[in-house]
Amino acid sequence: MSAASQSGGGSRRSFLTTSAASTMSLSLLDRAPAQPAGQVAPGRGDVVPLSLKVNGQEHRFGADVRTTLLDALREHLGLTGSKKGCDHGQCGACTVLVDDRRVLSCLSLAASLEGRDIVTIEGLAGADGELHPMQQAFIDHDAFQCGYCTPGQIMSAVACVNEGHANTDVDIREYMSGNLCRCAAYPNIVDAINQAKSQMKET
Ligand code: FES
Ligand code: FES
């Protein structure tokens, strides 16, 4: 990880953490409007009806108003591809796409994402099962060992390319710095992204 990314000033990791924290605060405000006299806003432990669009499919379920997107995906929708590494916005294992932007699902409240387009690692392959170029590139370059960080790495890598932040190895390392890999597969991850980025431009 570069010093720049650790120092916080404008790094992707600090951006993601700050954005997610802001989203959480705003969403709490959204879900707790001023109530008419005699009514109580949803609070701790209250189950509320939620509707999430994940991988093109609408899901309706009830959950605690405080449920994070990561817990909603894993525990309510059975989508366990997104991993819980730290649950504190520090490792990137839970990265998903929301309206094509990468988001740390452990720091995002599910209730704040109704009506948004959420894509997880389960939704990346084509309908016919053909792997996304980034998934295939991770396999081709052995860009993982234990694989725990891999879904988050792949989702982040797709966004990194689409953002135009994969032009050089230095850029890739900087804009992937929010995704940690305890197995230190970083050189292979960079190689995989370099392979996939040209294929993604062709599609
Ligand atoms: S589990 Fe979300 S950043 Fe680590
Ligand atoms: S492959 Fe093991 S943590 Fe990244």
Side-chain angles (χ1 to χ4, degrees), residues 143-150 153 180-185 189:
F144 50 85
Q145 290 183 42
C146 77
Y148 197 80
C149 73
T150 308
Q153 297 278 5
L180 305 185
C181 176
R182 286 180 66 92
C183 301
I189 291 170

Side-chain angles (χ1 to χ4, degrees), residues 70 83-95 104-107:
L70 179 60
K83 301 301 184 209
K84 185 178 284 190
C86 64
D87 212 19
H88 283 86
Q90 295 173 350
C91 73
C94 65
T95 304
L104 296 175
S105 59
C106 74
L107 290 186

Side-chain angles (χ1 to χ4, degrees), residues 23 37 41 53 61 64 94 106 111 130-131 134 137 170-171 188 191:
T23 300
K53 185 180 174 192
F61 57 98
D64 187 312
C94 65
C106 74
E130 184 182 359
L131 294 180
M134 191 64 75
V170 171
D171 277 356
N188 306 51
D191 290 346

